[in-house]
């Protein structure tokens, strides 16, 4: 097993992309998450423009980014899988979606609903690897 140490850089959004890359490398981590959120290095509305710049800055410091933190819901991806294509085109092979909310005591029913939602993503995730 090849273990890679990463950081979720939520508290470093004040740094430039280059400064973040230097910090990650200097503290001895292997990589960082690509955070796709308003106010971070990769904005949701400019994903296709921002992500390649972020990835290049990390690779310039010999950091290989494979994971993105994004708030995409299964329904969003089912309606428009374009973000998965952009992630794949930039070497991102894993991502964190939005959360499923627990809204009542019937956990089994909520899990069934979540499973059905996730099944909508299967063909898109397979398509983009």
């Amino acid at each position: 097993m090849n273990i890679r140490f990463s950081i979720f850089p939520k508290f470093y959004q004040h740094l430039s992309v280059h400064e973040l890359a230097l910090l990650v490398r200097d503290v001895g981590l292997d990589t960082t998450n690509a955070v796709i959120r308003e106010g971070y290095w990769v904005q949701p509305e400019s994903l296709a423009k921002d992500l390649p710049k972020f990835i290049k800055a990390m690779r310039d410091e010999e950091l290989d980014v494979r994971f993105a933190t994004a708030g995409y819901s299964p329904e969003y991806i089912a309606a428009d899988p374009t973000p998965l294509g952009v992630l794949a085109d930039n070497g991102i092979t894993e991502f964190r979606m939005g959360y499923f909310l627990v809204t009542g005591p019937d956990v089994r029913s909520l899990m069934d609903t979540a499973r059905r939602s996730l099944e909508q993503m299967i063909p898109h995730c397979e398509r983009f690897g």
Side-chain angles (χ1 to χ4, degrees):
M1 175 181 353
N2 185 10
I3 297 174
R4 294 173 5 136
F5 292 94
S6 179
I7 187 171
F8 172 54
K10 179 177 183 175
F11 301 109
Y12 296 103
Q13 73 187 91
H14 65 282
L15 298 177
S16 71
V17 175
H18 179 71
E19 290 169 330
L20 175 65
L22 291 175
L23 172 72
V24 171
R25 191 203 62 210
D26 289 348
V27 299
L29 296 172
D30 300 310
T31 190
T32 183
N33 296 8
V35 179
I36 304 169
R37 291 185 179 163
E38 294 295 326
Y40 287 85
W41 308 276
V42 182
Q43 304 282 317
E45 67 277 354
S46 53
L47 175 66
K49 181 184 81 166
D50 295 344
L51 188 58
K53 292 177 187 176
F54 183 86
I55 297 296
K56 182 183 179 326
M58 295 303 133
R59 287 188 179 147
D60 286 350
E61 293 302 323
E62 300 180 7
L63 303 169
D64 186 27
V65 179
R66 297 282 178 184
F67 188 87
T69 298
Y72 305 127
S73 70
E75 294 77 18
Y76 181 91
I77 294 298
D80 180 13
T82 304
L84 292 186
V86 174
L87 294 178
D89 289 346
N90 287 278
I92 303 290
T93 57
E94 302 170 6
F95 68 98
R96 188 184 91 188
M97 305 180 331
Y99 298 104
F100 291 101
L101 298 176
V102 177
T103 57
D106 186 4
V107 175
R108 183 172 305 278
S109 175
L110 294 169
M111 293 298 285
D112 288 340
T113 299
R115 185 176 294 109
R116 284 191 303 275
S117 285
L118 288 171
E119 286 172 351
Q120 297 177 64
M121 293 183 63
I122 292 172
H124 304 298
C125 289
E126 287 175 339
R127 176 177 163 202
F128 295 110

